[in-house]
Every structure is written in structure tokens, then in C-alpha cells.
Amino acid sequence: MATNTYDVIVIGAGPVGENVADRVVQGGLSTAIVERELVGGECSYWACMPTKALLRSGAALRAARQVPGAREAVTGDLDVAAVLERRDSFASNWKDDGQASWLEQVGVPLYRGHGRISSARVVEVTDKDGSTTTLTARHAVVVATGSSALVPDLEGLRQAEPWTSREAVVTDSVPGRLAIIGGGVVAAEMATAFAGLGASVTVLARDGVLPTAEPFAGEYVVESLRESGVSVRLGAEAASVKRADDGTVSITLTDGEQVEADELLVAIGRKPNTQDIGLDAVGLTPGSWLTVDDTMRVVVEDGALLDDGWLYAAGDVNRRVLLTHQGKYQARAVGDVIVARAKNETVEQGRWGRHVATSDERAVPQVVFTDPEVASVGLTAAAAEAAGLRIRVVDYDLAATAGSSLQAEGYRGQARMVVDEDRKVIVGFTLVGPDVAELLHAATIAVVGEVPLDRLWHAVPAFPTVSEVWLRLLETYGRSE
């Protein structure tokens, strides 16, 4: 059994683990990273990149068809084989040579195998051949193992071998009929993608579509999905599932109705990848989400640090925000704070401090790549009210901007800003419309920077762009005072 010692051990070489390791090395400490699957993690091979590649071709085609002159040049439908080939390229054909090479370049040793914590600061890595390497950390161990799709205990579901997001992303063919259980981001995006690729799609959305977004966002997406031929069943709940010998999947709803499909995608949430990483060896519960303090150190039930604070958790496993960019944001803070503590430097852990992830609570940006796109940051109106803020909600029709009329014929969309009336700053912003993703960062800066509305008057939007909505929102706010 080989034994090696480093300053920091990172379990999980997805985007979060990679960023932790990179920041630790940049700070002058040594680190090693452990990965049981592909370096680059869920985002690179089964989520962010390949899913957006699946969606982009359909979005480009729809955009062309909304502009006279370009519309006439479009003479056919999507080339499904070409779309899937492009997806494969964005997933690096499910090979991680490039990302493993990057780790080598930045000086981070990679241990391939299953990492388990065996005691404080000690991780045992079991390779495919059964050999074991023991890694010891001088300062910290970081759990960055991510999450996986949640498959509920529904009668017959597991026996029917449903798709999760992974199977949907890697499929080499498009089913004639696809049923989706769920109405969140994955469900909405995959319904958009597979409908565009020619599948007949049924969405069983018990809790609605995009239920945590502003209500109008879900309404726009539902309307668009239905216009594209998707059957969206709001409030529909599956009671049991059965796959027949011919491969047909039958979903029986709680009201007794049956829905049949060739494949079934389950997209109702995520669970932490912590079942078999040795949590029990340090007094934690296997399979649980890991609770952390503001600097991502793992804490126990009473809020106290685990031992002397050697264990950290970043990304999905701490359940703060299950988004890749927020996990990477946490990772930068984690890497830097571990270095600071190892060198006895000042830890900046106040609000918006360098070593904390304040944005997780106040300014999370997210884009849903449906048609239309949904881009949001900060609090919804309902969340702001629940937080006790005295707010004013300002809405504006994106189609009323000059830029939108140039963007597309029949442009439809909406913008909303949620204003904290006591501080006169924006605490939430939502955009729905074609290609609004690239407008989001301006709103993110306004929320994070807590830019006063009086100062935003001086941020003049270029004409004619859809960004002119900022001026229109401010004007609308001023008229409502």
C-alpha cells in the first residue's frame, strides 16, 4: 500500500474540485485530486456543455425563422445526426485526456479510483484493480463529489429502467415518444431539446414548470412548449410505471389515466454523491448533504466545526446552490481560505469577503436554455417578501424595446426588477425572451454591487438594443413613485 502526503486532498475532479486544486497550488501549497470517473465531472460530460450543445442548434434554427430574409433561406429541419455529433464533440467524446493533461500542467497529481475518508485528514483511494493508495493531508480534505439524479421510490419505476439526465444526454437516437416526469430546469430544457429533434414529448409537471422562478417565466415556457407540440400536463402526478416486453413505457397517473412513451426521463431533483466516501469514519451520515459554515468548512448538527475544521465541502454536496458556476465560485473561496489558514493570514469572512460565498444567498445567476430563455439573478418577488423586505416590483414588456423588433419578428418577452424600497437597490431581476442569457450579467453586477437606482440612471443603454429595457424599467419605476 502506497502512502503519500500533501497539504490538501480533494475528492472529486469535476469543475469544483479542479478549481479548488488550482487555487491551492496558486497559493503555494501542494495538493492531489481523486476521481473515480472522468476528470471534468458532470458538467463536462453529462450536463452543462453537452446539453447546451443539444439545445443550441434548435435555438439557432428558430431564431433564423423569426427574421424575414433569413426565414426564406431555411429549407429544412434539423439534421439530427449532426446535432448529436456536435454534442459528442462538446463532451470530448467522453474522454478526459485534455482535462487530465491540464491537471498535470498545473502541478496537481491525479489519483484515479474511489476515494474514501478513513480517518481525520486521511483518504484511501481504491483503483479499479483493487490496489489502494493512502493519501494524508497536512491541512485539509475537500469533498467535491457533486450530485446525481434522484430516482424516487415509485412503483415499477426502477424496473422500467428510466432515463435520468445522463442517459438523455448520451443517447445516440431520438425516441419517437418521450415522457418526462418533472417540471424543473432539466425537464424544461430536455423537453425543448427533444421536441426540436422530432420527438413527441409529454411533460408530467406535478408542481408546475420552473416552479421556483417568477410565475411569468414558467407561463412563457409552457406556452412555447405547447406551441412546439409538447403536451404539458400541469399538476399531473405519476403513481406507477411499467415497461412492456416491446419496450413501451406506461405511466399510470394518480387519477388513473395512462401515458405511453418509448422512453421515460425522470427529472425531479438531485441527491448528494456522499454514500460511499467514508463519512461514517468521521461521525457523519453516509448519503447526506454536508452542512457547512460561511467558508465551506463542514459543521455538525449543533453548528460546531467537525474536529478542528479540516474537512470542507464545496459544490453540490453542501446543497447551498446546485449550479456549476456557483460551485466554482465556492471553490475559489475554499482554495483561497485554506491557503490563508495554512499560512496564518487574515481570513476575510464578513459579508462579501474574499473567503466566503455571499452570492449563494443574495445574487445567484441562472439561465434556463429553453425557448424562450429564462435568465434570473437574486430574489424573486415572493422570496424577497418572505425575507421581510419592503419591495416594489417593476415589469416591462421586452417586445416594446426597439432592439427586440430588430432581433426577431413577433418577439415576445418580459423583464422584472425587484427593488428593495428601503435601500433603493435591485435585489432581484428576471428576463424571459430570445437570447436574454447574455443580458444577465449586467443585472448580476447591479445586484452584487448594490448599485443605487439613482446611479443606474447614468448607465446609458446603447440604442437600438434589447438592453434598453434597463432605461424603460427605471422610467416605469419613477412614474410609479
Side-chain angles (χ1 to χ4, degrees):
M1 180 184 295
T3 302
N4 294 299
T5 300
Y6 301 89
D7 291 319
V8 181
I9 309 299
V10 182
I11 306 176
V16 176
E18 289 177 316
N19 275 267
V20 171
D22 187 37
R23 301 294 282 209
V24 167
V25 169
Q26 288 185 40
L29 301 185
S30 63
T31 186
I33 198 165
V34 180
E35 178 54 54
R36 64 183 177 86
E37 291 189 302
L38 298 177
V39 176
E42 197 80 8
C43 179
S44 298
Y45 307 103
W46 302 286
C48 317
M49 297 305 292
T51 60
K52 303 315 170 277
L54 276 178
L55 286 155
R56 178 56 191 161
S57 298
L61 182 59
R62 287 190 295 273
R65 286 174 171 167
Q66 288 181 302
V67 180
R71 176 191 299 147
E72 289 73 18
V74 177
T75 58
D77 295 322
L78 289 176
D79 183 326
V80 174
V83 173
L84 297 182
E85 183 178 358
R86 185 170 188 262
R87 171 210 60 189
D88 294 352
S89 70
F90 274 92
S92 301
N93 293 294
W94 292 276
K95 296 179 181 178
D96 66 359
D97 298 356
Q99 298 208 49
S101 176
W102 175 81
L103 285 175
E104 184 178 356
Q105 291 173 17
V106 298
V108 178
L110 169 63
Y111 289 84
R112 292 190 181 273
H114 194 111
R116 295 178 181 87
I117 299 167
S118 60
S119 60
R121 295 186 178 82
V122 178
V123 176
E124 291 189 353
V125 183
T126 304
D127 203 344
K128 290 181 179 180
D129 63 4
S131 61
T132 301
T133 302
T134 298
L135 305 178
T136 301
R138 297 185 185 93
H139 297 291
V141 173
V142 182
V143 176
T145 49
S147 64
S148 54
L150 175 65
V151 178
D153 292 324
L154 190 66
E155 182 183 340
L157 181 59
R158 287 184 172 82
Q159 293 85 343
E161 298 181 338
W163 280 0
T164 66
S165 52
R166 281 199 173 194
E167 288 77 21
V169 168
V170 304
T171 184
D172 57 5
S173 62
V174 177
R177 298 169 300 172
L178 174 66
I180 302 174
I181 295 178
V185 174
V186 172
E189 288 188 347
M190 289 300 95
T192 302
F194 279 92
L197 293 170
S200 175
V201 179
T202 300
V203 177
L204 306 174
R206 184 190 67 181
D207 301 321
V209 171
L210 304 181
T212 62
E214 294 284 10
F216 69 83
E219 292 167 4
Y220 270 94
V221 173
V222 168
E223 181 182 4
S224 177
L225 286 173
R226 286 174 171 164
E227 288 177 353
S228 67
V230 175
S231 174
V232 182
R233 309 288 295 278
L234 301 177
E237 182 175 3
S240 64
V241 177
K242 184 177 181 179
R243 188 182 288 272
D245 292 339
D246 65 359
T248 300
V249 181
S250 296
I251 304 102
T252 301
L253 305 183
T254 52
D255 64 2
E257 184 182 353
Q258 284 197 331
V259 175
E260 291 195 345
D262 300 303
E263 291 294 349
L264 170 63
L265 167 61
V266 178
I268 65 166
R270 309 286 293 177
K271 63 180 181 180
N273 293 331
T274 60
Q275 184 62 43
D276 188 23
I277 62 169
L279 294 186
D280 50 334
V282 292
L284 298 172
T285 304
S288 65
W289 301 97
L290 296 175
T291 305
V292 296
D293 68 7
D294 288 342
T295 62
M296 308 302 129
R297 290 187 299 187
V298 174
V299 298
V300 291
E301 290 183 2
D302 60 1
L305 291 177
L306 179 68
D307 296 337
D308 59 352
W310 60 271
L311 184 62
Y312 292 73
D316 282 10
V317 289
N318 64 33
R319 209 181 190 178
R320 288 167 64 99
V321 184
L322 277 66
L323 292 169
T324 295
H325 48 271
Q326 292 300 122
K328 291 163 68 174
Y329 162 69
Q330 292 176 16
R332 295 189 290 271
V334 167
D336 288 351
V337 78
I338 290 173
V339 171
R341 286 177 172 141
K343 295 182 176 181
N344 292 316
E345 297 173 348
T346 300
V347 173
E348 300 173 21
Q349 54 186 331
R351 183 170 175 262
W352 301 115
R354 176 184 174 188
H355 299 125
V356 296
T358 305
S359 173
D360 285 351
E361 299 176 355
R362 301 173 182 271
V364 175
Q366 182 174 18
V367 176
V368 186
F369 291 86
T370 45
D371 173 32
E373 291 178 346
V374 178
S376 62
V377 62
L379 303 176
T380 62
E385 287 183 338
L389 299 180
R390 188 172 67 91
I391 64 168
R392 187 184 305 179
V393 176
V394 183
D395 291 317
Y396 195 81
D397 181 3
L398 277 179
T401 63
S404 68
S405 62
L406 293 171
Q407 182 90 356
E409 190 175 75
Y411 189 107
R412 290 181 295 177
Q414 183 174 336
R416 167 173 290 182
M417 70 176 186
V418 180
V419 178
D420 179 341
E421 285 289 79
D422 293 326
R423 294 185 296 143
K424 299 295 183 183
V425 298
I426 298 171
V427 294
F429 204 97
T430 297
L431 296 150
V432 178
D435 301 317
V436 295
E438 298 303 333
L439 300 178
L440 181 60
H441 199 58
T444 303
I445 292 170
V447 173
V448 171
E450 299 175 330
V451 182
L453 295 185
D454 287 347
R455 178 60 62 87
L456 281 175
W457 274 105
H458 299 282
V460 181
F463 183 87
T465 66
V466 182
S467 290
E468 194 179 20
V469 70
W470 281 92
L471 173 59
R472 303 308 173 206
L473 285 167
L474 292 171
E475 289 175 335
T476 303
Y477 177 85
R479 285 195 295 270
S480 64
E481 286 187 303

